[in-house]
Amino acid sequence: IVTDGTGDLKNGPVEVYSVLGRTSQLKGAEAYDFLGFSVSVPSSSPQLEYRGYVNFDQEERTAIAVYNPDKTHSVELELVLYGADGKQVATSPLGLNGGQQAAVFLDDPNLFGDSINGDFRGTVAITSEVIPVAVLSLIMDRATGALVVVSLE
């Protein structure tokens, strides 16, 4: 898919399917130029479970982007935060309506309260009981604001 970049700026998920449907194992990355920067976003196939790296320090800050591809049903996700020692630190629900997307830094107090305060390194597990969702991890360089997108597949 290639565009000339004209028209109104829009955000949202990009869904690409082959004639084989979701069973095709189609993989790829979206690459685009934005304000003079080249950006690449890897594919994220909907799944019931993800686990990703979390880091908060002077240099980095971690976020997640989540998308519910089911247009008619809402989903309630369970987020479980683990410390570097593998021990559970906190849990949080995250609800998405049908077709909704959300992006949030994991140190947002609405998620895990003050569990991430200062430097923190660990992992987050994201689970959906019924509806598979697509998840990407985003690691922000605090000095530049640049985001590195990491697929959690």
Side-chain angles (χ1 to χ4, degrees), residues 16-131:
V16 180
Y17 300 96
S18 82
V19 293
L20 298 175
R22 293 185 188 265
T23 62
S24 72
Q25 302 297 315
L26 181 66
K27 298 219 183 258
E30 175 186 8
Y32 59 94
D33 289 323
F34 182 70
L35 300 175
F37 295 97
S38 294
V39 180
S40 176
V41 179
S43 63
S44 178
S45 301
Q47 299 180 56
L48 293 173
E49 297 179 358
Y50 292 89
R51 190 160 186 141
Y53 171 73
V54 177
N55 188 50
F56 288 89
D57 60 23
Q58 297 281 341
E59 298 175 4
E60 293 180 349
R61 188 173 180 213
T62 306
I64 57 169
V66 186
Y67 171 59
N68 175 7
D70 187 316
K71 306 289 191 266
T72 57
H73 298 94
S74 61
V75 63
E76 186 76 15
L77 304 174
E78 179 183 38
L79 281 63
V80 181
L81 183 66
Y82 296 92
D85 59 3
K87 293 182 181 173
Q88 183 175 313
V89 174
T91 64
S92 177
L94 179 64
L96 295 173
N97 292 325
Q100 183 182 5
Q101 63 179 1
V104 63
F105 282 100
L106 293 177
D107 62 348
D108 184 318
N110 294 318
L111 284 181
F112 299 116
D114 63 357
S115 297
I116 299 176
N117 191 0
D119 288 0
F120 180 89
R121 182 167 287 151
T123 60
V124 64
I126 302 163
T127 306
S128 171
E129 290 293 322
V130 179
I131 298 171

Side-chain angles (χ1 to χ4, degrees), residues 1 9-10 12 14 28-43 65 136-139 144-150:
I1 302 170
L9 181 64
K10 296 182 181 181
V14 175
E30 175 186 8
Y32 59 94
D33 289 323
F34 182 70
L35 300 175
F37 295 97
S38 294
V39 180
S40 176
V41 179
S43 63
L136 292 171
S137 176
L138 304 129
I139 301 171
T144 64
L147 289 169
V148 173
V149 183
V150 180

